[in-house]
RNA sequence: GGCGGCAUAGCCAAGUGGUAAGGCAGAGGCCUGCAAAGCCUUUAUUCCCCGGUUCGAAUCCGGGUGCCGCCUCCA
């Protein structure tokens, strides 16, 4: 089977064929760095991470670009309210963002273009749009004239006529300067509220509209026509529609072949919101003592187009699932001698995993295949027929699948200190002497210190709780 | 008002016409000095509700109910 993705443009699964065989350009809408990202944001970044890793697993060479929005209304407000410079705020939250994606094991994109580093590119694109008659000016601001782009609305299936101006209640249509409320700003003229946040350009003193950065930067780093563009479903309209309008009108070429959109995350069955008290940043969850890998697992385990529900019970379940995986690896590492090569099990697992993932990244099915593999191999280990080579084959497979998912890694934990090992030895001695009361006392004492003792035919195994 | 998504066991969640994956939790058993880990059995006669199509539907169609997203800058 070939890789298939659900393309928002066609609303169906399509076989994935890159423009240049073997190479894939991926652009993903990144964070506005004005605050710590919340776990809903990370669900989207996790999906994009999985997409990129799976494409690489399937042999594609991927170039991944993710923008950082570092100039925008909320940021300017933050500057005004805190008195800090734009750069100080964005530098701080950009660093926090990178720390967070490292915590979650999300691979770094190849390029993280920041909007403020690409003002000339944006100005350039706006000039092209102006030359081609797609813009008009009002009070120094430049707007995109939607009526010049009949294709508008194709991605989100929105009929322009049906869009009610200001329906969301967030904008007072009367105050809007655009000829039509649907038109969007390419360039915003400076006003007093912007303070020192402005650029002097050929377009006048002002700042770019939000949408233009993604068009300008994606075209710069991936070319006018590239393969995949991702984002959350909320970005579909108007942001991605606007990107398409800007890019296609400016370059005269088709823009993106596959649009992939990630559904939202709910928390404890409700939409995440501060007023409901279920709004969490990654840092909040880590502070609660949840293993970042378990957070990764939880965010990853639901198919990306499915609305997901983050619960603390699910995070606990993920913690236990990871324990099962890690314990399985420990067992494999202890295998020795000749025995079953596990070739059949490995092939079955690998094939099923790939088939599931080929089908629009069906991670749930793929994880199911791996857990079936774990059970089948555990059974053979119980039968005592697995040797070191078979175990090595199984571990190699887990490593390969870990490159895709990041959840099949061995536990990262410090080796037991000497004192603990001495206690373990003392317990073994007690057991040999049938002094089980003493042996159990030592085990209980170690448990209180966070060490689990498991007796195996080859001796005691020491693990962190 | 318009457009779209979702509703599967206690929890998370696959499956989208052929008789309910997987993980966690629970129960019983094997193993163990006892545990832990592992394995086995078990846990939804049923997939939000009501109709319809079909030999057959969780899966298709119609109508409800509920939750979620978008409709100018929120993943």
């Amino acid at each position: 089977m070939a890789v298939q993705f659900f393309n928002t443009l066609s609303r169906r699964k399509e076989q994935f064929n890159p423009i240049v065989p073997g190479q894939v350009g991926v652009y993903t809408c990144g964070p506005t760095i004005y605050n710590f990202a919340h776990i809903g944001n990370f669900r989207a970044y996790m999906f994009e991470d999985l997409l990129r890793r799976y494409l690489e697993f399937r042999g594609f060479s991927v170039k991944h670009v993710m923008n950082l929005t570092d100039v925008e209304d909320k940021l300017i407000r933050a500057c005004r309210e805190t008195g800090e410079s734009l750069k100080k705020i964005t530098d701080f939250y950009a660093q926090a963002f990178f720390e967070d994606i490292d915590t979650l094991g999300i691979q770094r994109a190849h390029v993280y273009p920041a909007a403020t580093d690409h003002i000339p590119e944006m100005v350039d694109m706006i000039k092209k749009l102006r030359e081609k008659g797609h813009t008009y000016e009002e009070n120094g601001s430049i707007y995109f004239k939607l009526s010049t782009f009949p294709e508008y609305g194709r991605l989100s299936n929105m009929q322009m006529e049906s869009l009610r101006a200001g329906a969301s209640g967030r904008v007072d249509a009367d105050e809007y300067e655009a000829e039509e409320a649907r038109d969007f700003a390419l360039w915003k003229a400076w006003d007093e509220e912007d303070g020192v946040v402005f650029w002097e350009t050929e377009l006048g003193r002002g700042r770019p509209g939000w949408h233009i950065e993604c068009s300008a930067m994606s075209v710069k780093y991936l070319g006018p026509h590239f393969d995949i563009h991702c984002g959350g479903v909320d970005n579909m309209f108007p942001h991605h529609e606007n990107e398409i309008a800007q890019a296609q009108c400016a370059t005269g070429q088709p823009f993106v072949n596959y649009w992939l959109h990630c559904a939202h995350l709910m928390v404890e069955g409700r939409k995440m919101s501060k007023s409901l008290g279920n709004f969490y940043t990654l840092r909040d969850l880590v502070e609660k003592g949840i293993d970042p890998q378990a957070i990764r697992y939880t965010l990853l385990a639901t198919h990306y187009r499915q609305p997901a529900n983050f619960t603390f019970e699910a995070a606990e379940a993920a913690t236990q699932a990871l324990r099962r995986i890690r314990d399985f690896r420990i067992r494999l590492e202890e295998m020795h001698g000749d025995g079953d090569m596990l070739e059949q099990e490995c092939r079955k697992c690998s094939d099923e995993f790939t088939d599931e993932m080929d089908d629009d990244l069906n991670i749930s099915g793929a994880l199911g295949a791996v857990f079936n593999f774990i059970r089948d191999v555990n059974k053979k280990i119980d039968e005592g027929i697995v040797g070191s080579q078979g175990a090595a084959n199984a571990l190699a497979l887990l490593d390969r699948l870990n490159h895709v998912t990041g959840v099949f890694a061995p536990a990262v934990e410090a080796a037991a200190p000497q004192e603990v090992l001495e206690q373990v030895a003392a317990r073994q001695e007690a057991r040999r002497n049938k002094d089980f009361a003493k042996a159990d006392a030592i085990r209980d004492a170690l448990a209180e210190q966070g060490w689990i003792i498991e007796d195996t035919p080859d001796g005691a195994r020491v693990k962190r709780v």
Side-chain angles (χ1 to χ4, degrees):
Chain A
M1 196 157 103
V3 179
Q4 290 195 319
F5 294 129
F6 183 91
N7 191 346
T8 304
L9 270 175
S10 63
R11 307 271 164 165
R12 50 213 267 190
K13 286 181 195 170
E14 296 176 14
Q15 184 169 328
F16 175 67
N17 295 311
I19 297 164
V20 178
Q23 293 181 31
V24 185
V26 181
Y27 186 89
T28 61
C29 284
T32 299
I33 38 181
Y34 76 111
N35 212 332
F36 295 112
H38 58 68
I39 55 172
N41 299 120
F42 287 115
R43 184 197 185 192
Y45 305 143
M46 191 67 72
F47 143 64
E48 289 152 1
D49 185 52
L50 182 68
L51 170 68
R52 182 259 184 91
R53 288 165 175 257
Y54 189 64
L55 286 168
E56 287 174 347
F57 177 81
R58 289 298 255 137
F60 295 101
S61 166
V62 178
K63 182 171 182 184
H64 178 198
V65 180
M66 176 181 271
N67 67 301
L68 299 177
T69 297
D70 61 350
V71 55
E72 171 268 359
D73 289 359
K74 288 191 293 290
L75 268 166
I76 291 171
R77 196 185 316 135
C79 291
R80 208 165 53 232
E81 287 168 1
T82 63
E84 299 286 0
S85 72
L86 184 68
K87 186 158 173 47
K88 184 159 182 198
I89 295 172
T90 57
D91 278 354
F92 177 81
Y93 287 110
Q95 193 192 328
F97 170 71
F98 287 120
E99 285 168 9
D100 285 352
I101 62 174
D102 286 350
T103 298
L104 284 172
I106 292 175
Q107 281 187 0
R108 297 282 180 108
H110 300 93
V111 192
Y112 285 100
T116 58
D117 291 332
H118 296 78
I119 301 294
E121 285 84 350
M122 291 189 244
V123 169
D124 212 48
M125 185 170 268
I126 295 168
K127 278 169 62 191
K128 271 192 197 134
L129 290 170
R130 187 163 65 183
E131 284 160 22
K132 295 184 178 183
H134 292 291
T135 70
Y136 60 90
E137 219 172 302
E138 209 161 289
N139 297 331
S141 289
I142 301 175
Y143 295 89
F144 188 96
K145 201 178 183 65
L146 277 185
S147 56
T148 66
F149 186 61
E151 265 187 64
Y152 192 79
R154 195 180 139 216
L155 178 72
S156 58
N157 194 31
M158 289 287 216
Q159 301 301 312
M160 292 231 308
E161 307 74 49
S162 70
L163 298 182
R164 218 160 70 180
S168 67
R170 281 185 290 187
V171 166
D172 182 348
D174 292 341
E175 289 180 2
Y176 229 67
E177 291 174 350
E179 280 177 11
E180 293 193 63
R182 297 188 291 259
D183 294 336
F184 59 93
L186 296 165
W187 185 260
K188 295 180 164 184
W190 179 84
D191 68 33
E192 278 179 29
E193 298 218 316
D194 293 346
V196 297
V197 180
F198 63 83
W199 285 262
E200 294 284 3
T201 73
E202 296 170 62
L203 305 174
R205 169 186 289 197
R207 61 189 168 97
W210 176 48
H211 311 289
I212 192 71
E213 69 179 66
C214 286
S215 299
M217 301 194 298
S218 61
V219 166
K220 172 173 180 177
Y221 292 101
L222 296 170
H225 181 202
F226 59 93
D227 299 294
I228 301 177
H229 192 130
C230 305
V233 282
D234 53 310
N235 273 157
M236 217 159 84
F237 187 93
H239 182 54
H240 290 162
E241 291 285 5
N242 294 353
E243 277 188 58
I244 293 170
Q246 292 164 335
Q248 294 197 359
C249 290
T251 69
Q253 295 186 49
F255 182 42
V256 169
N257 283 355
Y258 301 87
W259 287 88
L260 274 52
H261 289 99
C262 175
H264 275 205
L265 181 75
M266 297 196 293
V267 175
E268 300 292 348
R270 304 302 307 273
K271 68 190 276 191
M272 183 165 54
S273 78
K274 284 176 181 160
S275 59
L276 287 173
N278 64 349
F279 183 96
Y280 298 108
T281 64
L282 176 63
R283 286 145 198 261
D284 293 334
L285 298 183
V286 172
E287 271 173 32
K288 284 176 182 289
I290 304 176
D291 177 357
Q293 279 255 304
I295 300 170
R296 178 180 177 92
Y297 188 102
T298 308
L299 294 177
L300 196 71
T302 304
H303 183 85
Y304 74 93
R305 282 192 289 114
Q306 187 81 211
N309 186 19
F310 181 92
T311 65
F312 286 95
E313 204 175 338
E316 173 58 25
T319 304
Q320 293 305 323
L322 285 171
R323 184 176 297 253
R324 178 166 165 81
I325 291 162
R326 292 165 180 171
D327 284 352
F328 177 59
R329 291 194 64 121
I330 291 171
R331 284 192 98 187
L332 288 171
E333 278 155 13
E334 290 169 351
M335 292 296 105
H336 48 73
D338 294 332
D340 195 301
M341 303 298 272
L342 299 175
E343 280 166 331
Q344 199 185 324
E345 286 80 4
C346 288
R347 191 176 328 112
K348 179 166 180 280
C349 176
S350 177
D351 288 351
E352 286 178 3
F353 181 91
T354 307
D355 282 349
E356 294 288 359
M357 290 295 284
D358 274 356
D359 182 14
D360 195 32
L361 304 179
N362 186 351
I363 185 68
S364 310
L367 291 175
V370 178
F371 281 108
N372 285 335
F373 168 75
I374 290 174
R375 186 199 55 227
D376 292 345
V377 174
N378 264 326
K379 207 179 298 189
K380 282 198 165 176
I381 293 175
D382 281 355
E383 289 166 15
I385 57 177
V386 176
S388 59
Q389 190 53 51
N393 291 343
L395 283 166
L397 174 62
L398 287 177
D399 286 341
R400 273 181 67 223
L401 303 184
N402 187 53
H403 280 304
V404 180
T405 61
V407 296
F408 298 120
V412 283
E413 56 195 30
Q418 191 56 38
E419 310 90 80
V420 171
L421 294 178
E422 280 166 15
Q423 288 298 100
V424 171
R427 175 172 170 274
Q428 290 299 75
E429 179 63 24
R431 290 183 73 218
R432 264 195 297 279
N433 298 331
K434 305 281 185 204
D435 185 353
F436 295 120
K438 184 179 178 188
D440 290 352
I442 294 173
R443 185 170 62 194
D444 292 346
L446 286 172
E448 276 183 29
Q449 296 167 43
W451 298 97
I452 295 172
I453 309 303
E454 296 178 357
D455 297 318
T456 76
D458 295 328
R461 177 190 291 154
V462 190
K463 295 197 312 194
R464 258 294 179 200
V465 173

